[in-house]
Amino acid sequence: MTDITSLLGEEAESLLGHVCRGFPREQLHLPGPDFVERVLIDGDRPPGVLRNLQALFDHGRLAGTGYLSLLPVDQGIEHSAGASFAPNPIYFDPARIVELAIEGGCNGVASTLGVLGAVARRYAHRIPMMLKLNHNETLSYPTQYDQTLFAEVEQAFDMGCVAVGATIYFGSPESRRQIMEISAAFQRAHELGMVTVLWAYLRNPAFKQEGTDYHVAADLTGQANHLAATLKADIVKQKLPETNGGYRAVGFGHTHDRVYDTLATDHPIELARYQVASCYMGRAGLINSGGGAKGASDLGEAVRTAVINKRAGGMGLISGRKAFQKPMAEGVALLNAIQDVYLAKDVTIA
């Protein structure tokens, strides 16, 4: 098992010993082996959705825990194939992407229409697959920031996917159109029995103020999570919060003093707890993203993110570049280290 305490370094005591007070753990719907029956059974999700969500929970090294470790690889569109795969060219081949998820003990793999479609017959029965429906295509010049549909829900169903994913850039001028597109797509996915996962990201130049990036503020990302749950996302993907006070700094929207002085202090677990609470108190599972690859610090950063997510009441981690931009053995080791956090009995809910 991974030496979690050593990897956390000087933050170990603060991260492993903190007790949340803004939202006590007793108020949350926490992940667990019985999450589907305990939390979702009273809702309106069709039986096929519950079956496929349980299939995700029952796969990989975290099977039976109620936690998720997912491998997402759509960066070939989002960042260009060269920028994404040149550090480790084997991943130009879609089969190697899925093999990394399998060897890494992941619950599932999320990728593009082309990647999954190229290998679906060989792998759909071996690991749960999630088709990412839309992408920010960056070959167009000048650069635009918009999410474009690349696939239809029926294509995901036909290739055997258990889930669909999508991104909305909340706060952007295009967000209203994206909301309508993805609302319709998620409704259709649920009709076909597939799980829905929303990348609830923020995008607006005004969210950067005086050197601080409020795209990762707890109050703004929390509201994006709340909108995602309102769109009936079963799982919400969000960046780990790094600050708070986005509404106040930008000077727009509606907020409340208690968001800053009571419900979400500046402790990283408290900030992430606000994200969980915004996901209908955990009724929609929060998975945090692992962030970009940086090199030697990747393992420690991934474990730190997993500890914060788990102790805040989140449902897991979705980590891509930190894993696939390394030799496969190192990528597998990193994914296993993330999973070790969720398997560790002494890493408890704060």
Side-chain angles (χ1 to χ4, degrees):
M1 293 289 286
T2 302
D3 189 345
I4 296 168
T5 301
S6 293
L7 286 171
L8 293 177
E10 295 179 354
E11 287 189 289
E13 183 177 353
S14 173
L15 292 179
L16 295 175
H18 183 75
V19 177
C20 287
R21 306 196 185 280
F23 290 97
R25 56 172 292 171
E26 291 78 15
Q27 295 179 349
L28 303 178
H29 302 281
L30 295 169
D34 61 343
F35 184 82
V36 170
E37 294 187 0
R38 173 170 46 86
V39 179
L40 299 182
I41 204 67
D42 292 329
D44 64 352
R45 302 304 198 263
V49 176
L50 304 183
R51 177 198 63 213
N52 280 328
L53 183 56
Q54 193 64 53
L56 273 173
F57 285 141
D58 287 345
H59 194 85
R61 290 186 73 227
L62 297 183
T65 66
Y67 289 106
L68 298 174
S69 167
L70 302 174
L71 177 73
V73 186
D74 63 347
Q75 288 88 347
I77 298 173
E78 298 274 346
H79 300 280
S80 89
S84 300
F85 304 134
N88 197 357
I90 65 169
Y91 292 113
F92 275 98
D93 183 347
R96 304 309 293 272
I97 292 171
V98 182
E99 288 167 6
L100 173 60
I102 293 172
E103 293 298 318
C106 293
N107 299 74
V109 58
S111 197
T112 67
L113 177 66
V115 166
L116 296 182
V119 295
R121 288 185 181 274
R122 180 172 296 276
Y123 292 109
H125 63 291
R126 295 184 57 192
I127 185 169
M129 300 193 313
M130 179 194 311
L131 176 61
K132 185 71 169 18
L133 297 173
N134 65 358
H135 307 280
N136 180 36
E137 179 275 308
T138 57
L139 184 60
S140 300
Y141 186 83
T143 302
Q144 303 175 53
Y145 295 99
D146 194 3
Q147 288 289 326
T148 303
L149 288 167
F150 271 62
E152 296 181 357
V153 173
E154 285 77 8
Q155 291 173 290
F157 180 78
D158 289 343
M159 73 170 70
C161 292
V162 305
V164 297
T167 299
I168 292 177
Y169 284 154
F170 291 108
S172 72
E174 299 81 16
S175 64
R176 298 294 178 90
R177 189 205 78 243
Q178 294 168 10
I179 287 170
M180 290 187 288
E181 289 176 349
I182 302 311
S183 177
F186 278 10
Q187 171 64 20
R188 182 59 178 147
H190 280 159
E191 290 172 355
L192 294 173
M194 287 185 288
V195 177
T196 57
V197 182
L198 189 64
W199 278 238
Y201 285 174
L202 302 176
R203 178 77 68 171
N204 195 303
F207 292 170
K208 292 184 178 181
Q209 295 283 330
E210 299 181 359
T212 300
D213 188 354
Y214 292 100
H215 288 93
V216 287
D219 56 348
L220 298 186
T221 56
Q223 180 60 17
N225 291 358
H226 191 79
L227 295 176
T230 302
L231 287 167
K232 299 182 74 171
D234 300 308
I235 298 168
V236 179
K237 178 189 176 187
Q238 186 55 264
K239 296 177 181 179
L240 199 69
E242 298 176 11
T243 187
N244 206 354
Y247 276 118
R248 289 173 165 176
V250 180
F252 84 117
H254 307 279
T255 188
H256 194 284
D257 289 345
R258 294 194 74 222
V259 173
Y260 312 103
D261 60 27
T262 303
L263 299 178
T265 66
D266 60 359
H267 193 284
I269 295 176
E270 297 279 0
L271 295 175
R273 174 66 57 89
Y274 189 80
Q275 287 186 341
V276 173
S278 297
C279 293
Y280 290 2
M281 285 293 198
R283 289 181 183 271
L286 172 69
I287 55 175
N288 287 120
S289 54
K294 298 178 182 177
S297 64
D298 284 348
L299 181 62
E301 289 180 4
V303 167
R304 178 183 186 272
T305 303
V307 167
I308 292 171
N309 172 271
K310 181 181 182 182
R311 300 213 67 227
M315 190 171 276
L317 222 58
I318 180 164
S319 186
R321 280 171 289 172
K322 277 183 167 60
F324 72 74
Q325 288 188 339
K326 293 177 171 58
M328 186 173 285
E330 293 182 24
V332 167
L334 184 139
L335 292 169
N336 288 168
I338 290 170
Q339 295 151 11
D340 286 347
V341 172
Y342 295 96
L343 293 170
K345 303 296 185 184
D346 56 344
V347 179
T348 58
I349 310 299

